Amino acid sequence: MIKNPVPWPNGARCAAAITFDMDADSLIHLEHPKDSITRVSGISMLRYGPEVAVPRIVETYKHFGIKQTFFVPAWCIEQYPKAIETMLEGGHEVAHHGYIHENPTAAGREEEAYWLRRSIEIIERTTGQRPRGWRAPLYNFSNHSAELLAEEGFLYDASLMGDDVPYVLRTKNGDVIELPAHWGVDDWPQFVQSMDLDYMMPIKSAAAGLEVFKQEFDAMWEYGGLFVGVWHPFCTGRLARWMEVVKLIEHMLEKGGVWLAPMEEIAAHVKKCIDDGSYTPRIDRLPYYSERVSVMPLGGGGAKATE
Ligand SMILES: [Zn+2]
C-alpha cells in the first residue's frame, strides 16, 4: 500500500510522534484583537493547556520513558515560561509554531520572514538551540514558507499533508524534510467547541475520538508509515481524553515495532537514509504554482455548473 516505506531504526515497523501544539490563548488574541482580554472564559479554557495539561502530559511521557515534540508560538514561550521549563526538563523538543499563531498566507514574504526570525531568536534564547522544525499555525503554509525554512536552516516542516511517509520539499534555497499529518489525526474536529474561536464540533466521547487516532496509527503500523498526532494540550490534555491517550500509548507499545520519537529525531533519521541512499523520498517542488490558476470564461458568459 505504501510504495516506499522508510527503513526505520532497529527494524521498527513504523514511526510515531505525538505532537502537541501549545497555542494557549494566542488563538483568542489573534481572532479578537479588540476585545480578547474580556473573553475570560475562553481564555481560561485555553490556559488549561500550559497550566494543567502540559505537566500531566510530560508526567505520562516520563512514565513511558518517551521523548516527544511540542510546537509552541514564541509569544506563548514568553507568556508561560513554567510550561516550557517542564517540557525542557523532560528532555522534549520545543519547535517553532509562529510568533502569536499569525497566518503566514495572509502576510507577504517579508512579514512572514520577520515573525519567523523573531521567534527563532526567542526559541534559541529559551532553549539554547535554534529550532529544527516548524509547523505553520493552523496549517497556513504559504508559498514562501518552504523557501524561508530552507534559508533559515530548518531540518523539517510538519504542516503539510501530501503523503503517508516523510518526503522532501525542494526549493531554490534548498531542501526541507516534510513530516506529514492530516486533519484525520488532528484533535480539533473530534473535540473542540468554542464560540470565541468560531469552531463548533459535536464533541465526541473521549473513547470515540481516540478510536479515530488508533485506527490511523494501526494503518501506519501495518504498512510502515509515519503516524503524527496533531494535538493540543487544552483539548486532548483534558482528563477523560488523557486517560484514553494513556491506553493508546500502551496499545502502541504492546503491538511492538513502533519507533516513538521526537520529530527532530525522525527527520534526522530520514535525512541520514536519504544521504546514504537507503531511502528515496518523493520530492515536491515548491511553490506548486507561481501564477493564479483561473478558469477561462466559456462563450464570454463564464462556466456554470448547471450548463
Ligand atoms: Zn496551533
Side-chain angles (χ1 to χ4, degrees):
M1 300 275 253
I2 292 178
K3 294 274 187 314
N4 59 334
V6 177
W8 298 116
N10 304 317
R13 288 185 70 119
C14 73
I18 295 168
T19 66
F20 271 98
D21 296 359
M22 199 203 81
D23 301 328
D25 49 318
S26 66
L27 306 174
I28 217 160
H29 303 302
L30 197 76
E31 187 80 12
H32 301 283
K34 284 194 187 129
D35 68 352
S36 66
I37 62 168
T38 68
R39 297 169 185 259
V40 180
S41 172
I43 291 174
S44 75
M45 176 185 84
L46 295 163
R47 282 174 65 102
Y48 183 96
E51 301 286 351
V52 180
V54 167
R56 173 180 295 154
I57 292 164
V58 170
E59 184 67 32
T60 298
Y61 288 167
K62 190 176 173 192
H63 168 78
F64 286 110
I66 58 174
K67 305 267 192 279
Q68 294 293 307
T69 299
F70 291 86
F71 291 89
V72 190
W75 178 85
C76 300
I77 292 178
E78 294 185 317
Q79 202 68 21
Y80 298 102
K82 266 192 89 175
I84 310 305
E85 248 171 63
T86 305
M87 294 169 192
L88 293 174
E89 276 167 16
H92 305 291
E93 177 188 8
V94 174
H96 199 308
H97 194 42
Y99 179 71
I100 192 165
H101 221 269
E102 68 282 359
N103 175 2
T105 67
R109 191 185 202 278
E110 216 170 299
E111 196 182 332
E112 181 176 354
Y114 170 80
W115 292 113
L116 187 72
R117 290 180 191 134
R118 182 163 166 185
S119 307
I120 289 172
E121 275 171 33
I122 293 167
I123 291 174
E124 193 169 9
R125 199 164 57 233
T126 313
T127 69
Q129 280 188 83
R130 279 176 74 85
R132 279 74 68 208
W134 183 70
R135 174 173 288 143
L138 232 174
Y139 305 111
N140 280 319
F141 190 103
S142 83
N143 276 333
H144 308 294
S145 299
E147 265 178 43
L148 290 170
L149 293 176
E151 204 170 289
E152 293 299 326
F154 277 82
L155 172 62
Y156 74 90
D157 171 69
S159 319
L160 302 183
M161 310 190 181
D163 212 325
D164 306 305
V165 285
Y167 58 106
V168 167
L169 309 179
R170 182 150 292 168
T171 79
K172 64 177 169 47
N173 291 344
D175 290 355
V176 178
I177 308 277
E178 178 60 42
L179 301 180
H182 60 102
W183 275 104
V185 288
D186 191 300
D187 56 2
W188 277 56
Q190 308 303 328
F191 297 129
V192 175
Q193 176 165 238
S194 165
M195 277 175 265
D196 290 312
L197 302 175
D198 196 22
Y199 194 95
M200 305 287 280
M201 299 306 290
I203 294 175
K204 285 195 184 156
S205 75
L210 263 293
E211 179 60 26
V212 173
F213 306 140
K214 181 167 167 281
Q215 282 190 11
E216 294 286 347
F217 165 78
D218 285 343
M220 292 306 187
W221 186 86
E222 197 64 42
Y223 295 105
L226 166 66
F227 171 86
V228 179
V230 184
W231 301 346
H232 301 78
F234 84 90
C235 175
T236 293
R238 285 269 169 188
L239 202 52
R241 295 167 196 158
W242 197 246
M243 286 166 66
E244 292 298 320
V245 171
V246 170
K247 287 186 207 162
L248 176 62
I249 298 173
E250 281 167 354
H251 168 77
M252 289 175 174
L253 298 176
E254 273 162 24
K255 271 190 113 151
V258 180
W259 184 41
L260 260 164
M263 298 287 266
E264 60 175 328
E265 284 183 24
I266 294 173
H269 172 75
V270 170
K271 184 168 187 317
K272 181 185 82 58
C273 292
I274 293 171
D275 291 345
D276 70 18
S278 60
Y279 179 54
T280 307
R282 218 168 46 72
I283 294 173
D284 270 10
R285 285 168 205 279
L286 291 184
Y288 289 127
Y289 300 103
S290 55
E291 285 175 1
R292 242 179 78 189
V293 177
S294 57
V295 178
M296 296 299 289
L298 295 177
K304 285 191 190 141
T306 50
E307 284 173 356

